[in-house]
Amino acid sequence: MKSFINVQDIGPLDKAMAEAFEIKNDRFKYQHLGKNKTLMMIFFNNSLRTRLSTQKAAMNLGMNVIVLDVNAGAWKLETERGVIMDGDKSEHLLEAIPVMGCYCDLIGVRSFAGLTDREYDYAETVLQQFIKYSGRPVFAMETATVHPLQAFADLITIEEHKTVARPKVVLTWAPHCRALPQAVPNSFAQWMNAADVDLVITHPEGYELDPKFVGNAVVEYDQKKAFEGADFIYAKNWSNPGVTNPADYGKITSKNMSWTVDTEHMSWTNNGKFMHCLPVRRNLIVTDDVIESPNSLVIPEAANREISCSVVIKRMLEAL
């Protein structure tokens, strides 16, 4: 596996899931694969779970790890071609990337959407430059449009906690005080479409995700109807994806607090489990009583980030 961005990159899901549970049973089984190998983790944005889980996974596999915070511990990087670099950016990404590749065997990249230029974001401009110029296998630690390590961990969590063979999974929009990217809901929808679940996506009108991620999911604008009989509720805010109106891309066009997931919402489900990728704004996305309830899976979900990342890094090491 030379790159990991989308669900297709992982290959057959049943094999990936079997590998995930094998690694969860023995996290150090493949430690020999990473001996004398180095992972470079490059962060253009803040991180807690991704930073910790990815570093732990690499260490479990015997790797050395270099962590670079671009905005705190390096020269400011220019990403655009043709720019006269007479501002505050001292180095171009096109020189920085191959230099980074000299010092490692694998690269993980985290770079969020700017939420001002949909075409630029959805072209995955920064990530694609790493893939093209680093000379190393590259995996996404969340990008402008996707967060596959999170979605893989979500699927592992659902598999561990499901009580029926084919559960009903609902991805629900919830309000937020800031404009957030669509990366997490995009990847969640993509991975659930590939899995053996019934996926329903619910959100206010105008918040439609890109069709390439929605796939065969049912889109239901009535949140109560969407929640009925659900086995899992995955709450997440996203800013307007600009699908129906490109001028709205990256904007907050709804702050409807009736979409906040509370006890009443969960009562509509089939004793549903609550999920969220974290960090979560309490009493905006979800109320205290729901996230603290026995049906909340946010901590096991976060723990499985180590497992999903271990599978990805293992696959990449095997391909070196």
Side-chain angles (χ1 to χ4, degrees), residues 125-272:
T125 306
V126 172
L127 179 69
Q128 290 300 329
Q129 289 184 79
F130 276 92
I131 292 172
K132 186 174 182 180
Y133 298 114
S134 69
R136 302 298 181 200
V138 175
F139 63 92
M141 299 192 301
E142 187 167 5
T143 71
T145 67
V146 292
H147 197 351
L149 290 173
Q150 179 65 56
F152 189 6
D154 295 334
L155 182 57
I156 294 168
T157 307
I158 288 171
E159 185 66 23
E160 288 179 316
H161 292 88
K162 69 182 185 182
T163 57
V164 295
R166 187 178 174 88
K168 178 180 178 180
V169 178
V170 176
L171 169 62
T172 181
W173 179 91
H176 204 280
C177 54
R178 296 179 56 200
L180 300 183
Q182 299 98 45
V184 169
N186 282 346
S187 277
F188 186 79
Q190 185 186 59
W191 282 70
M192 292 304 113
N193 269 301
D196 190 19
V197 306
D198 291 322
L199 176 64
V200 178
I201 303 175
T202 185
H203 52 71
E205 292 192 41
Y207 270 80
E208 291 78 10
L209 297 170
D210 192 300
K212 71 180 180 181
F213 296 111
V214 174
N216 295 321
V218 173
V219 176
E220 174 55 65
Y221 297 107
D222 183 329
Q223 192 185 29
K224 183 174 183 179
K225 185 176 179 181
F227 274 46
E228 289 175 353
D231 300 291
F232 295 90
I233 298 297
Y234 196 100
K236 184 71 180 78
N237 174 266
W238 59 91
S239 61
N240 198 302
V243 172
T244 56
N245 184 0
D248 286 337
Y249 176 64
K251 296 180 180 178
I252 297 174
T253 52
S254 176
K255 292 185 177 180
N256 189 342
M257 290 292 289
S258 71
W259 286 76
T260 300
V261 179
D262 59 16
T263 301
E264 181 182 357
H265 285 72
M266 296 304 293
S267 73
W268 303 333
T269 71
N270 179 32
N271 194 32

